[in-house]
Amino acid sequence: MNDRVPPTAPVPLATLLRHPALGLRQVAGARETDTPVYFVHTSEMEDPVPYLLGGELLLSAGVHCPEAAGAGTYWDRYVARTVQAGAAALGFGIAPVHDTVPRALVEACDRHGLPLVEVPRQTTFTAVASAVWDAIAERRHVELRRVTEAQQSLATAAARPHPVPAVLRQLGQHLGAWTALFGPDGAELAAAGPRPPREARTVLGALVARLRSGPSSAAGRATGAAGEELQLTAYGLGGPAGPEDRRLALGVCAPRRDGSDGAIVGVAVVLLSLLTARRVVAAEAERTAALVRLMLGAEPAWVAGLLSRSLEQAGAVSGGPERVGVASERPERVGAVSEDPEGGGLWTVVRGRRRGSVRDDGPLATAAFAAGLGTPLVDLDGDALCALVPGEGRIRAQPGWTLGVGAPVPAAELARGDADAVRALRRAVAERVPLVRHGPARAGGVASLVDPDEAGAHGRALLAPLDGAPVLLETLRVWLSLHGGWDRTAVALEVHRNTVRQRIARVEALLEVDLGDADVRMELWFALKWA
């Protein structure tokens, strides 16, 4: 495939052959089921090379060769040029020129190993292209979901008392690989997953020795115990090192590489770099801030900036890891977190806003605030903060801060916990109280008498006129939660009170209701909760 092909998620040709609405049939060429298709291109040119990037399913109805059977030399030259251009497969349409796939074309594709797919008369080329784009979008969605889930579980593992073994274990499970941490002298410090043969470990050690100063990686291959090919990769951890100051390294031995594996390994590299670097108090604050942001969905490439600053403060990596739990594989309890070796349990998200004009953004202020909340996972950024407290910790008000506390949630639902904490913070600011908790709905009551599915359908129907207007929905939610207080809603949303009035008037007009009616407000509040 040509190097110009972008890193899109390809679709196996077999997926298209199994598509019930297309009716495609392979009639010649290589029968590999995982032949990747990156694009669809339709061309009736005699020479398709100038118009292909590589990796395409090339569609043609044979208009460029109108003879009933086609000359053997013509089709052989056409197929050879198509293979030279890097096309993944050739789709031949039965209509309007040819009634069947030319025999000479079938023989040429067999000779050159190019998959040849018959496109039936009733299937348009547009339908084939649409199916490919739909399949690519679905694969991309699956990959993004896989990366997100891996990022959350890796960051959760990094918050445990012995984080390095936990991160290695999680990475190995997500990749189906053996993962290892190598010291500056090339010695294996920790590992997780099925141990590969000695030859593979030797090759991986050689890759580690080849790592250059600064961000670098090295890749190679080895043969597994069952004769299968193993993919080996080594990654340098931490910041730049001097020519005689080797760093720690991550080694990965996997039976295969998927498109999303690189993103998952990138998260692990950032986390392990943060966990194993020697650092001063300020660097520790950078590490915990990066960890919080990773667990809440920040991109590893962005978090790498925090890593760079922490290494500048702490100095280049040297020696081995310091008290990071490398020697222990035993999972231990963190606060009220369950003893799940995969780093499960509940987490409480805390959002805060500074009160007054006195500011202290130093690392000691972060450490003091972390001690007050009972967690090291604090991201203090100017007048705002975010913290993750393991388990169902008892959060207390902190001097100089207004806090919103979300309900305890599993690691996979941190986004929901964060949204709850943000709403609680808005209420705390509006009501001028130091702390507001967002608690789960009280058991029993009128709400327990309503079927959730029916309530959700009713709520969505009632609020349908506000679809596409999230600002109006959020204004309505905050206004109702603050009992129709204009000033407090304005403070919570950080807008002028007249803006609140204009938005609420717009909501009344769109919903065709009177928000001065208590019954209407009650119904809308339930709709917002259930929709």
Side-chain angles (χ1 to χ4, degrees):
M1 189 174 58
N2 194 298
D3 291 338
R4 292 176 293 171
V5 173
T8 56
V11 177
L13 181 60
T15 300
L16 301 178
L17 295 175
R18 292 193 301 265
H19 198 295
L22 298 180
L24 305 180
R25 182 171 66 95
Q26 185 172 351
V27 296
R31 302 283 175 165
E32 299 176 0
T33 59
D34 57 350
T35 300
V37 174
Y38 289 83
F39 311 99
V40 174
H41 180 70
T42 300
S43 175
E44 299 298 344
M45 306 297 293
E46 293 185 13
D47 182 7
V49 170
Y51 309 98
L52 300 181
L53 290 173
E56 295 92 346
L57 170 60
L58 175 62
L59 299 177
S60 173
V63 176
H64 50 88
C65 184
E67 293 86 353
T73 55
Y74 177 89
W75 285 119
D76 189 81
R77 184 173 61 254
Y78 177 80
V79 172
R81 291 289 285 168
T82 301
V83 171
Q84 178 183 343
L90 174 63
F92 194 85
I94 307 303
V97 179
H98 299 270
D99 295 327
T100 61
V101 179
R103 183 62 189 171
L105 175 59
V106 173
E107 294 173 351
C109 287
D110 279 332
R111 278 195 301 273
H112 293 278
L114 179 67
L116 175 61
V117 176
E118 178 186 89
V119 182
R121 184 181 303 272
Q122 68 273 14
T123 301
T124 64
F125 286 179
T126 301
V128 177
S130 178
V132 171
W133 304 140
D134 289 345
I136 287 176
E138 175 61 23
R139 283 177 62 86
R140 182 60 176 162
H141 173 73
V142 170
E143 285 191 354
L144 289 174
R145 184 171 57 192
R146 177 178 178 237
V147 171
T148 299
E149 292 173 352
Q151 177 173 308
Q152 289 180 338
S153 63
L154 287 168
T156 301
R160 298 186 63 79
H162 300 289
V164 169
V167 170
L168 291 176
R169 186 165 51 247
Q170 281 291 311
L171 178 62
Q173 290 179 358
H174 282 290
L175 302 184
W178 180 72
T179 57
L181 180 70
F182 292 91
D185 57 354
E188 182 184 313
L189 300 177
R195 198 168 183 81
R198 180 185 297 274
E199 176 192 353
R201 300 199 306 273
T202 301
V203 174
L204 191 55
L207 294 175
V208 169
R210 285 168 44 191
L211 294 175
R212 303 183 305 274
S213 177
S216 63
S217 63
R221 291 181 174 85
T223 303
E228 75 280 11
E229 185 179 70
L230 298 176
Q231 309 289 333
L232 308 177
T233 317
Y235 304 86
L237 301 181
E244 298 181 357
D245 185 15
R246 289 179 55 199
R247 301 164 297 160
L248 299 174
L250 168 66
V252 178
C253 175
R256 55 178 173 76
R257 285 197 186 106
D258 287 340
S260 56
D261 286 354
I264 295 174
V265 174
V267 176
V269 168
V270 170
L271 288 171
L272 290 171
S273 297
L274 292 167
L275 292 167
T276 58
R278 285 178 175 164
R279 51 209 178 282
V280 295
V281 176
E284 176 68 15
E286 297 280 29
R287 179 187 77 82
T288 56
L291 184 56
V292 170
R293 298 181 193 188
L294 272 173
M295 293 182 76
L296 294 178
E299 291 291 337
W302 181 87
V303 177
L306 290 178
L307 169 62
S308 176
R309 291 198 297 273
S310 70
L311 291 173
E312 289 174 0
Q313 294 168 342
V317 176
S318 62
E322 295 185 333
R323 301 180 64 84
V324 293
V326 169
S328 173
E329 289 281 345
R330 181 175 62 88
E332 296 188 7
R333 188 173 179 84
V334 182
V337 179
S338 64
E339 294 186 23
D340 175 7
E342 307 309 326
L346 298 178
W347 296 83
T348 300
V349 183
V350 180
R351 287 281 182 172
R353 184 181 299 177
R354 193 189 304 274
R355 296 198 305 268
S357 58
V358 179
R359 293 187 56 176
D360 183 3
D361 296 329
L364 294 179
T366 303
F369 192 87
L373 289 179
T375 176
L377 306 181
V378 176
D379 178 9
L380 183 58
D381 184 12
D383 291 329
L385 70 86
C386 180
L388 292 176
V389 180
E392 304 177 41
R394 297 180 60 184
I395 313 301
R396 295 182 174 86
Q398 301 296 310
W401 288 91
T402 299
L403 302 181
V405 181
V409 294
E413 299 180 23
L414 279 171
R416 177 170 63 85
D418 186 42
D420 291 342
V422 170
R423 292 193 183 102
L425 175 61
R426 285 178 174 173
R427 287 198 59 189
V429 171
E431 296 176 2
R432 293 179 173 84
V433 295
L435 185 146
V436 166
R437 302 176 188 275
H438 180 94
R442 183 168 55 89
V446 176
S448 64
L449 305 177
V450 181
D451 179 79
D453 294 335
E454 293 182 2
H458 174 72
R460 288 188 292 273
L462 188 62
L463 298 172
L466 300 184
D467 285 347
V471 172
L472 295 182
L473 272 173
E474 187 61 15
T475 301
L476 176 62
R477 185 191 306 276
V478 174
W479 185 76
L480 290 174
S481 72
L482 296 174
H483 312 292
W486 303 108
D487 291 331
R488 290 192 298 167
T489 303
V491 171
L493 295 176
E494 298 182 324
V495 297
H496 194 276
R497 66 195 308 271
N498 289 342
T499 301
V500 176
R501 289 184 177 275
Q502 292 168 3
R503 291 178 183 176
I504 294 300
R506 180 62 177 160
V507 169
E508 281 188 308
L510 289 173
L511 298 181
E512 299 181 348
V513 296
D514 178 13
L515 288 175
D517 187 328
D519 290 335
V520 171
R521 293 199 301 271
M522 179 180 66
E523 187 173 12
L524 288 177
W525 178 249
F526 276 101
L528 287 167
K529 291 178 70 67
W530 287 105

